[in-house]
Amino acid sequence: MKDGERDLETSCYSIGELMQLMATRIKGIAVDLERKETSCFLDEMLAAKRIYVTGAGRSGLVSRAFAMRLMHIGFESYVVGETITPALSPGDTLVAFSGSGETNSIVDICETARDVGARICLITGAEDSRIMRIADCAVVLSGTLAYTVEAPAGYEVRQITGQYRSTSASFAPLGTLYEASALIFSDAIITAMMEARHCSIDEVKGRLSNVQ
């Protein structure tokens, strides 16, 4: 190490310790989940004719991972906005990933889903929001987000101005705890769906892409 350089692994939390801190926080979020909410969400997934997913930014990446796993276990799933995504119709279910429940583009998508008669399921970090008020089912990942009092509603504006923050300015910033928790929650739902449908690993392997 050159003179004047800091050894980040010894001068602050090590990377391993930061991972343990995050895992501890996510474990607490899992413990606080409302069983009624999670049971409702699982029932909605199992009853859906087709499942559409949506989210903005990193939440959108989590939604895509969920859609991929849904396909792997034999469900018809689509990502809103893709060129091959068919029209939403009654009997379909939209799953929205939105930490705030207020992201304008996702609110618009959910309102459209409501207007066509689709079911709306929300995975969020907020106890109350515009999407929450129209959702048929919502799972709150409590304690994953904290916003400044006057944070603007636009997702992009919050990101650019730094007004979209986790509960600590330096630990798991910019909604990281919500996104990580949402990913783990959605994977847990996939496991529960596999058990409910008696889906085997061999069936999943048979649906993995072979044209990459």
Side-chain angles (χ1 to χ4, degrees), residues 79-96:
V79 177
V80 173
E82 291 294 319
T83 56
I84 61 169
T85 300
L88 199 65
S89 63
D92 294 332
T93 297
L94 173 71
V95 178

Side-chain angles (χ1 to χ4, degrees), residues 64-77 187 190 194 197 199-210 212:
R64 288 170 177 267
F66 185 46
M68 185 180 193
R69 280 291 184 249
L70 287 168
M71 178 273 292
H72 285 159
I73 64 173
F75 285 77
E76 190 174 353
S77 59
D187 277 343
I190 292 294
M194 288 180 68
R197 293 277 291 264
C199 178
S200 70
I201 295 298
D202 287 338
E203 289 179 80
V204 173
K205 288 181 178 179
R207 298 187 186 99
L208 297 178
S209 175
N210 59 3
Q212 295 183 27

Side-chain angles (χ1 to χ4, degrees), residues 146-153 158 162-165:
Y147 299 95
T148 53
V149 175
E150 297 184 0
R158 288 202 305 273
Q163 295 183 39
Y164 182 36
R165 302 184 181 127

Side-chain angles (χ1 to χ4, degrees), residues 45-119:
M45 295 299 97
L46 293 172
K49 182 176 70 176
R50 299 180 297 184
I51 301 173
Y52 292 64
V53 304
T54 188
R58 282 170 43 118
S59 296
L61 298 178
V62 174
S63 77
R64 288 170 177 267
F66 185 46
M68 185 180 193
R69 280 291 184 249
L70 287 168
M71 178 273 292
H72 285 159
I73 64 173
F75 285 77
E76 190 174 353
S77 59
Y78 299 97
V79 177
V80 173
E82 291 294 319
T83 56
I84 61 169
T85 300
L88 199 65
S89 63
D92 294 332
T93 297
L94 173 71
V95 178
F97 289 77
S98 177
S100 68
E102 296 286 349
T103 305
N104 290 328
S105 59
I106 308 305
V107 171
D108 290 343
I109 290 168
C110 289
E111 289 177 341
T112 298
R114 177 197 58 190
D115 292 344
V116 301
R119 303 285 290 177

Side-chain angles (χ1 to χ4, degrees), residues 10-82:
T10 57
S11 65
C12 61
Y13 285 116
S14 71
I15 301 302
E17 287 170 332
L18 288 171
M19 290 176 69
Q20 291 179 61
L21 282 171
M22 187 173 293
T24 298
R25 291 292 298 275
I26 292 174
K27 181 179 179 180
I29 292 161
V31 169
D32 289 339
L33 282 173
E34 291 287 342
R35 182 177 289 272
K36 184 177 180 180
E37 293 179 356
T38 57
S39 295
C40 174
F41 189 92
L42 177 59
D43 289 343
E44 290 281 353
M45 295 299 97
L46 293 172
K49 182 176 70 176
R50 299 180 297 184
I51 301 173
Y52 292 64
V53 304
T54 188
R58 282 170 43 118
S59 296
L61 298 178
V62 174
S63 77
R64 288 170 177 267
F66 185 46
M68 185 180 193
R69 280 291 184 249
L70 287 168
M71 178 273 292
H72 285 159
I73 64 173
F75 285 77
E76 190 174 353
S77 59
Y78 299 97
V79 177
V80 173
E82 291 294 319

